[in-house]
Amino acid sequence: MYITDLYAISPQKTYDLSFENGDWQVFNEFIYKAIEPSYQDIIPNTQLRRMGKAVRMGIGVSLPLLGRNSKPDGIIFGTANGGLEDCIKFLNQIVEYNEGTLTPTNFVQSTPNALAGQVALLSENMGYNMTHVNGSLAFESALLDASLFFDEHGSTEKSILLGAVEEISDYNYNIDRLGERFKQELVSNEKLLDSKTTGSYCGEGSTQFFLSNKPENSLARFSGFKQSSHLTEDEIQEFVSSFLTEQNLSISDVDCLLLGKNGDISTDSWYQQVEQLFGSKPTVYFKKSVGEYRTVSAFASYLAVQLLNGKAHHLIENGATVEPRTILIYNHFDAIRHSLILIQK
């Protein structure tokens, strides 16, 4: 699957490429909120004021991509909590108004597939439309769906708008905080990985890719991906090695690693196992930049494409200089669900 275009809204200034060119935001906060652009030139005001944050960020990424490319044959998104904030607002309204006359806006945007539906309506797209909502593997499932879509259509030229969106919902944030997924003390993201406590910090954002099954004018390609659940720490190295073997690659073929280390002392050891397998490979820890959320692997994929095209090299640890052509992304959530994504020039 060839990546011909991409765009992201994140806690870093990705919307204007400042982040990729060296502008790195330092956070001393418990929540890494997305830095959003002015949507005035992207979304009509009459629609913008009715949009929840997840839909707003998603549309703010989709419309620029759709404006630069031909109409895609499919729209595939992944999300874990997108739309949850509006869902809670709607449920609260039911109680507040005693099931009387309710505001329809929160109801319309209260489902995870609201973004995919809105994008299709705004772009008059009647093609394949799917949203995957299976937790921290939602983006990986969207990737699998896109791959199956291209396989189904064989050599016929097709394109897909693929992406992920996540918002920080007060409701869900409090649940995760009580579940000790987030830190109780404040540490700068500059020193996040030196932390010796459990938990990380919450992030959000929307990342999208325009995919084609033809290599012309492509920036990079999704060469392979794999997911698994409930691995033990002793099985991680074999999980990675077997994936590379399936892709006809060796450890030496990987030029750069993108790892989801997040400063959680209870689960970062899984990443250390992968680092031991690869030795001193150039590495980027992407959660230092955007925080922890369930579809953060979409942002990691975005970052990999930028690295493959000569940008964002300031993020490589220890000042390593490398012009990568093969990048491996490894991420897990709660050390339960694990994913590998291979992106090549």
Side-chain angles (χ1 to χ4, degrees):
M1 297 188 294
Y2 297 94
I3 303 166
T4 59
D5 203 355
L6 71 170
Y7 191 46
I9 292 174
S10 74
Q12 298 290 334
K13 292 182 179 178
T14 47
Y15 68 86
D16 64 358
L17 297 182
S18 297
F19 170 67
E20 293 80 350
N21 293 320
D23 183 359
W24 195 72
Q25 298 291 306
V26 176
F27 295 104
N28 287 286
E29 304 167 8
F30 287 102
I31 295 174
Y32 297 177
K33 292 186 177 180
I35 302 174
E36 300 178 77
S38 171
Y39 296 108
Q40 302 299 319
D41 298 330
I42 304 174
I43 308 171
N45 285 333
T46 53
Q47 297 175 358
L48 181 61
R49 63 187 179 88
R50 293 188 176 93
M51 289 182 178
K53 190 170 188 179
V55 173
R56 184 174 71 235
M57 289 191 297
I59 295 292
V61 174
S62 295
L63 292 187
L65 283 176
L66 292 171
R68 299 196 295 254
N69 298 278
S70 58
K71 185 180 292 187
D73 300 290
I75 297 171
I76 304 175
F77 290 140
T79 185
N81 297 319
L84 186 61
E85 189 69 19
D86 282 285
C87 180
I88 299 302
K89 288 178 181 177
F90 177 69
L91 294 174
N92 286 335
Q93 276 188 8
I94 293 177
V95 177
E96 183 178 352
Y97 295 107
N98 194 27
E99 300 187 23
T101 304
L102 307 176
T103 304
T105 304
N106 294 132
F107 171 72
V108 171
Q109 299 188 72
S110 66
T111 56
N113 66 339
L115 173 58
Q118 291 261 18
V119 172
L121 287 169
L122 289 172
S123 60
E124 299 181 352
N125 191 302
M126 305 296 180
Y128 181 73
N129 194 291
M130 181 62 65
T131 300
H132 294 269
V133 200
N134 47 332
S136 56
L137 292 177
F139 177 68
E140 286 78 3
S141 297
L143 264 177
L144 176 59
D145 195 4
S147 177
L148 293 172
F149 180 90
F150 285 134
D151 287 345
E152 181 183 352
H153 290 89
S155 60
T156 305
E157 186 170 354
K158 295 290 181 181
S159 61
I160 287 176
L161 180 64
L162 170 80
V165 64
E166 221 64 74
E167 65 179 337
I168 298 173
S169 157
D170 289 341
Y171 175 83
N172 207 66
Y173 174 78
N174 288 331
I175 290 177
D176 284 343
R177 182 176 56 81
L178 292 171
E180 299 183 351
R181 288 196 175 100
F182 301 130
K183 293 187 182 298
Q184 303 297 315
E185 74 286 349
L186 201 55
V187 178
S188 164
N189 60 331
E190 291 179 300
K191 301 179 180 179
L192 177 62
L193 301 187
D194 297 326
S195 172
K196 303 300 181 184
T197 58
T198 59
S200 187
Y201 297 110
C202 187
E204 63 181 357
S206 178
T207 306
Q208 295 176 32
F209 307 87
F210 206 87
L211 303 183
S212 172
N213 57 351
K214 301 297 180 181
E216 289 76 19
N217 302 315
S218 63
L219 300 170
R221 65 188 175 108
F222 285 109
S223 301
F225 43 89
K226 189 174 185 178
Q227 50 186 276
S228 186
S229 299
H230 299 284
L231 296 173
T232 67
E233 192 171 333
D234 294 335
E235 295 173 319
I236 289 300
Q237 291 189 353
E238 176 58 30
F239 175 59
V240 175
S241 297
S242 63
F243 172 70
L244 292 177
T245 300
E246 292 166 10
Q247 301 298 318
N248 296 315
L249 296 173
S250 65
I251 288 174
S252 62
D253 292 321
V254 177
D255 302 313
C256 184
L257 292 173
L258 266 66
L259 300 179
K261 264 190 176 181
N262 64 359
D264 186 337
I265 194 173
S266 64
T267 59
D268 274 354
S269 55
W270 269 259
Y271 298 109
Q272 292 166 6
Q273 290 286 338
V274 176
E275 288 178 299
Q276 290 173 12
L277 180 65
F278 284 89
S280 57
K281 290 283 184 182
T283 304
V284 175
Y285 303 116
F286 52 89
K287 290 178 185 175
K288 285 170 55 177
S289 299
V290 297
E292 175 71 273
Y293 55 97
R294 286 169 174 79
T295 53
V296 71
S297 53
F299 176 81
S301 301
Y302 169 90
L303 190 54
V305 177
Q306 299 294 356
L307 288 164
L308 290 171
N309 287 276
K311 298 178 181 178
H313 281 196
H314 61 286
L315 298 172
I316 300 175
E317 295 296 314
N318 302 320
T321 56
V322 62
E323 296 293 334
R325 297 191 63 82
T326 299
I327 293 178
L328 179 66
I329 301 168
Y330 167 55
N331 184 51
H332 71 67
F333 190 82
D334 283 353
I336 296 175
R337 289 172 287 278
H338 306 260
S339 73
L340 296 168
I341 299 175
L342 183 69
I343 300 181
Q344 293 179 293
K345 183 69 174 175

